[in-house]
Amino acid sequence: MRSDSPRHQGQRLQLVEQLRERGIVDERVLEAIGQVPRHLFLDSSFEQYAYRDAAFPIRAQQTISQPYTVAFQTESLHVASGAKILEIGTGSGYQAAVLAAMGYKVYTIERQKELFDFSKGLLQELGYRVTQKFGDGYKGMPAFAPFDGILVTAAAPSLPQELLEQLRPEGRLIVPVGDVESEQSMHAVWMDATGARHEDVLGQFRFVPMLKDVDAGR
Ligand code: SAH
């Protein structure tokens, strides 16, 4: 088994300082990024780059999000510790681990069987308590709704309506929406207690596409 080391810990603290310089202000997010061993979520061939602020390829032609993006999406949730969060697109499991390290109750869905299996094994091994589902994230997890926040880590061609319906009033959906071939705008969408809808655009990002149905692999 690969493990953590003082060298990795030192690199993580440097990454945290870079994220602070780039404008991440939520200390709880920075603390979690300072704790989660990102190098274990990457293929071993990329391990030496794990604490660069960059995205890298993972299995099934997907990517692990850039730490800045993970931090930005997480701090955009605006939720208190202990909140119930749904993530769409488990991928490597890194974002789910950051959320769990912050003390959230984490639910996450992945449509690629290979990544579902990999992330499940790793999150368990590292002791992060996360409820994982192999399925189509467009459908959410109605059995566990409502959520205090929902975070989508793949590019949606349009706003995923079913997910909005699984939010508590004032709970925010953070989702990159737009052309999957180029950049997407990060949207924060929420309903207030009267049912009125609110929406902010937070910035431009690049994600792999949010696809329909599951991929069970070969
Ligand atoms: N949060 C991940 C980022 C993974 S990239 C991490 O920290 O590593 C986005 C992931 O979304 C990919 O693994 C992709 O397979 C998954 N995905 C795409 N469409 C999906 C859908 N409809 N339901 C669930 N997962 C989906």
Side-chain angles (χ1 to χ4, degrees):
M1 185 194 131
R2 295 187 288 157
S3 60
D4 206 9
S5 70
R7 180 172 58 88
H8 290 123
Q9 287 159 19
Q11 290 175 346
R12 275 205 292 282
L13 294 181
Q14 285 176 7
L15 172 63
V16 165
E17 287 317 309
Q18 279 175 32
L19 296 177
R20 215 189 283 281
E21 279 162 26
R22 288 200 64 186
I24 301 299
V25 292
D26 189 333
E27 289 297 329
R28 300 169 309 157
V29 177
L30 293 168
E31 197 181 316
I33 289 185
Q35 283 169 11
V36 177
R38 187 175 189 247
H39 60 283
L40 301 181
F41 292 81
L42 291 167
D43 289 345
S44 52
S45 54
F46 292 106
E47 183 170 327
Q48 57 184 312
Y49 309 119
Y51 297 103
R52 291 193 183 172
D53 189 18
F56 289 102
I58 53 175
R59 291 149 204 247
Q61 289 85 52
Q62 303 303 317
T63 53
I64 181 171
S65 299
Q66 187 181 339
Y68 175 74
T69 306
V70 171
F72 184 91
Q73 285 198 283
T74 307
E75 87 174 0
S76 300
L77 285 167
H78 297 177
V79 283
S81 169
K84 202 164 104 183
I85 307 297
L86 173 64
E87 178 201 20
I88 309 301
T90 318
S92 66
Y94 178 70
Q95 168 79 72
V98 168
L99 292 167
M102 291 176 70
Y104 297 130
K105 291 190 200 69
V106 185
Y107 298 79
T108 183
I109 310 178
E110 174 55 55
R111 66 176 291 281
Q112 292 277 1
K113 186 69 166 64
E114 194 183 352
L115 286 168
F116 169 78
D117 290 338
F118 169 80
S119 59
K120 201 171 173 70
L122 182 57
L123 290 169
Q124 268 173 15
E125 182 182 311
L126 296 176
Y128 293 112
R129 287 181 53 195
V130 172
T131 304
Q132 293 189 240
K133 179 177 170 162
F134 171 56
D136 181 357
Y138 277 102
K139 302 194 174 93
M141 278 203 215
F144 295 98
F147 296 96
D148 299 304
I150 301 180
L151 204 155
V152 180
T153 69
S158 61
L159 201 73
Q161 193 60 37
E162 276 185 69
L163 296 181
L164 258 186
E165 289 159 13
Q166 293 178 30
L167 278 174
R168 207 184 284 289
E170 306 290 348
R172 288 154 65 91
L173 169 64
I174 309 297
V175 55
V177 180
D179 183 359
V180 296
E181 300 296 326
S182 59
E183 284 191 338
Q184 303 93 39
S185 320
M186 191 72 77
H187 289 240
V189 190
W190 69 100
M191 320 286 264
D192 64 25
T194 71
R197 199 175 108 166
H198 302 263
E199 190 159 351
D200 280 345
V201 176
L202 308 176
Q204 295 298 113
F205 291 83
R206 250 175 194 282
F207 284 83
V208 295
M210 184 173 178
L211 303 172
K212 292 227 183 262
D213 304 323
V214 298
D215 184 342
R218 275 163 289 166

PDB file of all heavy atoms in Angstrom, residues 172-189:
ATOM      1  N   ARG A 172     -27.813  25.028  -1.892  1.00  0.00           N
ATOM      2  CA  ARG A 172     -27.286  25.456  -3.184  1.00  0.00           C
ATOM      3  C   ARG A 172     -26.817  24.289  -4.050  1.00  0.00           C
ATOM      4  O   ARG A 172     -26.167  23.362  -3.574  1.00  0.00           O
ATOM      5  CB  ARG A 172     -26.120  26.426  -2.968  1.00  0.00           C
ATOM      6  CG  ARG A 172     -26.589  27.787  -2.451  1.00  0.00           C
ATOM      7  CD  ARG A 172     -25.526  28.496  -1.676  1.00  0.00           C
ATOM      8  NE  ARG A 172     -24.360  28.876  -2.443  1.00  0.00           N
ATOM      9  CZ  ARG A 172     -24.211  30.054  -3.065  1.00  0.00           C
ATOM     10  NH1 ARG A 172     -25.174  30.952  -3.031  1.00  0.00           N
ATOM     11  NH2 ARG A 172     -23.107  30.324  -3.713  1.00  0.00           N
ATOM     12  N   LEU A 173     -27.141  24.384  -5.339  1.00  0.00           N
ATOM     13  CA  LEU A 173     -26.637  23.455  -6.360  1.00  0.00           C
ATOM     14  C   LEU A 173     -25.484  24.165  -7.059  1.00  0.00           C
ATOM     15  O   LEU A 173     -25.662  25.255  -7.613  1.00  0.00           O
ATOM     16  CB  LEU A 173     -27.752  23.140  -7.370  1.00  0.00           C
ATOM     17  CG  LEU A 173     -27.360  22.395  -8.649  1.00  0.00           C
ATOM     18  CD1 LEU A 173     -26.835  20.993  -8.348  1.00  0.00           C
ATOM     19  CD2 LEU A 173     -28.558  22.302  -9.609  1.00  0.00           C
ATOM     20  N   ILE A 174     -24.287  23.557  -7.004  1.00  0.00           N
ATOM     21  CA  ILE A 174     -23.112  24.157  -7.647  1.00  0.00           C
ATOM     22  C   ILE A 174     -22.799  23.298  -8.869  1.00  0.00           C
ATOM     23  O   ILE A 174     -22.438  22.126  -8.722  1.00  0.00           O
ATOM     24  CB  ILE A 174     -21.899  24.188  -6.679  1.00  0.00           C
ATOM     25  CG1 ILE A 174     -22.276  24.814  -5.337  1.00  0.00           C
ATOM     26  CG2 ILE A 174     -20.705  24.890  -7.322  1.00  0.00           C
ATOM     27  CD1 ILE A 174     -22.694  26.273  -5.408  1.00  0.00           C
ATOM     28  N   VAL A 175     -22.942  23.850 -10.053  1.00  0.00           N
ATOM     29  CA  VAL A 175     -22.859  23.030 -11.262  1.00  0.00           C
ATOM     30  C   VAL A 175     -22.256  23.813 -12.439  1.00  0.00           C
ATOM     31  O   VAL A 175     -22.681  24.931 -12.716  1.00  0.00           O
ATOM     32  CB  VAL A 175     -24.273  22.471 -11.620  1.00  0.00           C
ATOM     33  CG1 VAL A 175     -25.319  23.564 -11.755  1.00  0.00           C
ATOM     34  CG2 VAL A 175     -24.236  21.625 -12.900  1.00  0.00           C
ATOM     35  N   PRO A 176     -21.250  23.210 -13.108  1.00  0.00           N
ATOM     36  CA  PRO A 176     -20.741  23.840 -14.325  1.00  0.00           C
ATOM     37  C   PRO A 176     -21.686  23.547 -15.486  1.00  0.00           C
ATOM     38  O   PRO A 176     -21.968  22.386 -15.773  1.00  0.00           O
ATOM     39  CB  PRO A 176     -19.384  23.160 -14.542  1.00  0.00           C
ATOM     40  CG  PRO A 176     -19.422  21.887 -13.773  1.00  0.00           C
ATOM     41  CD  PRO A 176     -20.527  21.966 -12.760  1.00  0.00           C
ATOM     42  N   VAL A 177     -22.200  24.599 -16.128  1.00  0.00           N
ATOM     43  CA  VAL A 177     -23.175  24.430 -17.205  1.00  0.00           C
ATOM     44  C   VAL A 177     -22.613  25.060 -18.470  1.00  0.00           C
ATOM     45  O   VAL A 177     -22.095  26.175 -18.433  1.00  0.00           O
ATOM     46  CB  VAL A 177     -24.520  25.119 -16.860  1.00  0.00           C
ATOM     47  CG1 VAL A 177     -25.528  24.939 -17.998  1.00  0.00           C
ATOM     48  CG2 VAL A 177     -25.105  24.566 -15.570  1.00  0.00           C
ATOM     49  N   GLY A 178     -22.742  24.323 -19.589  1.00  0.00           N
ATOM     50  CA  GLY A 178     -22.349  24.931 -20.862  1.00  0.00           C
ATOM     51  C   GLY A 178     -21.766  23.934 -21.831  1.00  0.00           C
ATOM     52  O   GLY A 178     -21.857  22.721 -21.636  1.00  0.00           O
ATOM     53  N   ASP A 179     -21.148  24.472 -22.862  1.00  0.00           N
ATOM     54  CA  ASP A 179     -20.599  23.699 -23.971  1.00  0.00           C
ATOM     55  C   ASP A 179     -19.504  22.751 -23.456  1.00  0.00           C
ATOM     56  O   ASP A 179     -18.488  23.194 -22.932  1.00  0.00           O
ATOM     57  CB  ASP A 179     -20.005  24.693 -24.979  1.00  0.00           C
ATOM     58  CG  ASP A 179     -19.475  23.984 -26.211  1.00  0.00           C
ATOM     59  OD1 ASP A 179     -19.558  22.733 -26.271  1.00  0.00           O
ATOM     60  OD2 ASP A 179     -18.983  24.682 -27.109  1.00  0.00           O
ATOM     61  N   VAL A 180     -19.728  21.448 -23.628  1.00  0.00           N
ATOM     62  CA  VAL A 180     -18.758  20.489 -23.102  1.00  0.00           C
ATOM     63  C   VAL A 180     -17.466  20.482 -23.914  1.00  0.00           C
ATOM     64  O   VAL A 180     -16.456  19.954 -23.468  1.00  0.00           O
ATOM     65  CB  VAL A 180     -19.341  19.056 -23.016  1.00  0.00           C
ATOM     66  CG1 VAL A 180     -20.484  19.013 -22.027  1.00  0.00           C
ATOM     67  CG2 VAL A 180     -19.772  18.551 -24.368  1.00  0.00           C
ATOM     68  N   GLU A 181     -17.489  21.070 -25.109  1.00  0.00           N
ATOM     69  CA  GLU A 181     -16.281  21.120 -25.948  1.00  0.00           C
ATOM     70  C   GLU A 181     -15.355  22.252 -25.529  1.00  0.00           C
ATOM     71  O   GLU A 181     -14.184  22.264 -25.899  1.00  0.00           O
ATOM     72  CB  GLU A 181     -16.662  21.328 -27.424  1.00  0.00           C
ATOM     73  CG  GLU A 181     -17.549  20.245 -28.013  1.00  0.00           C
ATOM     74  CD  GLU A 181     -16.857  18.880 -28.041  1.00  0.00           C
ATOM     75  OE1 GLU A 181     -15.634  18.843 -28.243  1.00  0.00           O
ATOM     76  OE2 GLU A 181     -17.556  17.860 -27.833  1.00  0.00           O
ATOM     77  N   SER A 182     -15.898  23.249 -24.821  1.00  0.00           N
ATOM     78  CA  SER A 182     -15.017  24.359 -24.431  1.00  0.00           C
ATOM     79  C   SER A 182     -15.146  24.628 -22.938  1.00  0.00           C
ATOM     80  O   SER A 182     -15.004  23.717 -22.135  1.00  0.00           O
ATOM     81  CB  SER A 182     -15.331  25.602 -25.261  1.00  0.00           C
ATOM     82  OG  SER A 182     -16.671  25.993 -25.073  1.00  0.00           O
ATOM     83  N   GLU A 183     -15.424  25.870 -22.547  1.00  0.00           N
ATOM     84  CA  GLU A 183     -15.516  26.182 -21.124  1.00  0.00           C
ATOM     85  C   GLU A 183     -16.963  26.171 -20.658  1.00  0.00           C
ATOM     86  O   GLU A 183     -17.879  26.334 -21.453  1.00  0.00           O
ATOM     87  CB  GLU A 183     -14.952  27.577 -20.874  1.00  0.00           C
ATOM     88  CG  GLU A 183     -13.458  27.612 -20.907  1.00  0.00           C
ATOM     89  CD  GLU A 183     -12.937  28.947 -20.394  1.00  0.00           C
ATOM     90  OE1 GLU A 183     -13.684  29.950 -20.410  1.00  0.00           O
ATOM     91  OE2 GLU A 183     -11.780  28.969 -19.982  1.00  0.00           O
ATOM     92  N   GLN A 184     -17.135  26.013 -19.353  1.00  0.00           N
ATOM     93  CA  GLN A 184     -18.474  26.083 -18.775  1.00  0.00           C
ATOM     94  C   GLN A 184     -18.502  27.156 -17.689  1.00  0.00           C
ATOM     95  O   GLN A 184     -17.474  27.476 -17.110  1.00  0.00           O
ATOM     96  CB  GLN A 184     -18.867  24.737 -18.149  1.00  0.00           C
ATOM     97  CG  GLN A 184     -18.809  23.579 -19.133  1.00  0.00           C
ATOM     98  CD  GLN A 184     -17.467  22.870 -19.101  1.00  0.00           C
ATOM     99  OE1 GLN A 184     -16.896  22.695 -18.035  1.00  0.00           O
ATOM    100  NE2 GLN A 184     -16.972  22.447 -20.258  1.00  0.00           N
ATOM    101  N   SER A 185     -19.696  27.692 -17.440  1.00  0.00           N
ATOM    102  CA  SER A 185     -19.860  28.667 -16.357  1.00  0.00           C
ATOM    103  C   SER A 185     -20.313  27.933 -15.115  1.00  0.00           C
ATOM    104  O   SER A 185     -21.246  27.128 -15.172  1.00  0.00           O
ATOM    105  CB  SER A 185     -20.944  29.693 -16.692  1.00  0.00           C
ATOM    106  OG  SER A 185     -20.876  30.067 -18.025  1.00  0.00           O
ATOM    107  N   MET A 186     -19.664  28.249 -13.996  1.00  0.00           N
ATOM    108  CA  MET A 186     -20.081  27.645 -12.727  1.00  0.00           C
ATOM    109  C   MET A 186     -21.308  28.398 -12.209  1.00  0.00           C
ATOM    110  O   MET A 186     -21.258  29.606 -12.006  1.00  0.00           O
ATOM    111  CB  MET A 186     -18.945  27.757 -11.713  1.00  0.00           C
ATOM    112  CG  MET A 186     -19.180  26.929 -10.471  1.00  0.00           C
ATOM    113  SD  MET A 186     -18.999  25.180 -10.835  1.00  0.00           S
ATOM    114  CE  MET A 186     -17.202  25.070 -10.906  1.00  0.00           C
ATOM    115  N   HIS A 187     -22.398  27.652 -12.041  1.00  0.00           N
ATOM    116  CA  HIS A 187     -23.632  28.254 -11.554  1.00  0.00           C
ATOM    117  C   HIS A 187     -23.890  27.837 -10.113  1.00  0.00           C
ATOM    118  O   HIS A 187     -23.639  26.695  -9.749  1.00  0.00           O
ATOM    119  CB  HIS A 187     -24.840  27.788 -12.385  1.00  0.00           C
ATOM    120  CG  HIS A 187     -24.858  28.352 -13.768  1.00  0.00           C
ATOM    121  ND1 HIS A 187     -25.875  29.133 -14.248  1.00  0.00           N
ATOM    122  CD2 HIS A 187     -23.958  28.245 -14.781  1.00  0.00           C
ATOM    123  CE1 HIS A 187     -25.611  29.484 -15.490  1.00  0.00           C
ATOM    124  NE2 HIS A 187     -24.451  28.955 -15.848  1.00  0.00           N
ATOM    125  N   ALA A 188     -24.412  28.762  -9.322  1.00  0.00           N
ATOM    126  CA  ALA A 188     -24.966  28.438  -8.001  1.00  0.00           C
ATOM    127  C   ALA A 188     -26.461  28.710  -8.122  1.00  0.00           C
ATOM    128  O   ALA A 188     -26.863  29.807  -8.496  1.00  0.00           O
ATOM    129  CB  ALA A 188     -24.352  29.318  -6.926  1.00  0.00           C
ATOM    130  N   VAL A 189     -27.270  27.694  -7.867  1.00  0.00           N
ATOM    131  CA  VAL A 189     -28.718  27.833  -8.021  1.00  0.00           C
ATOM    132  C   VAL A 189     -29.393  27.394  -6.724  1.00  0.00           C
ATOM    133  O   VAL A 189     -28.999  26.382  -6.140  1.00  0.00           O
ATOM    134  CB  VAL A 189     -29.237  26.934  -9.173  1.00  0.00           C
ATOM    135  CG1 VAL A 189     -30.686  27.255  -9.504  1.00  0.00           C
ATOM    136  CG2 VAL A 189     -28.370  27.083 -10.412  1.00  0.00           C
TER     137      VAL A 189
END
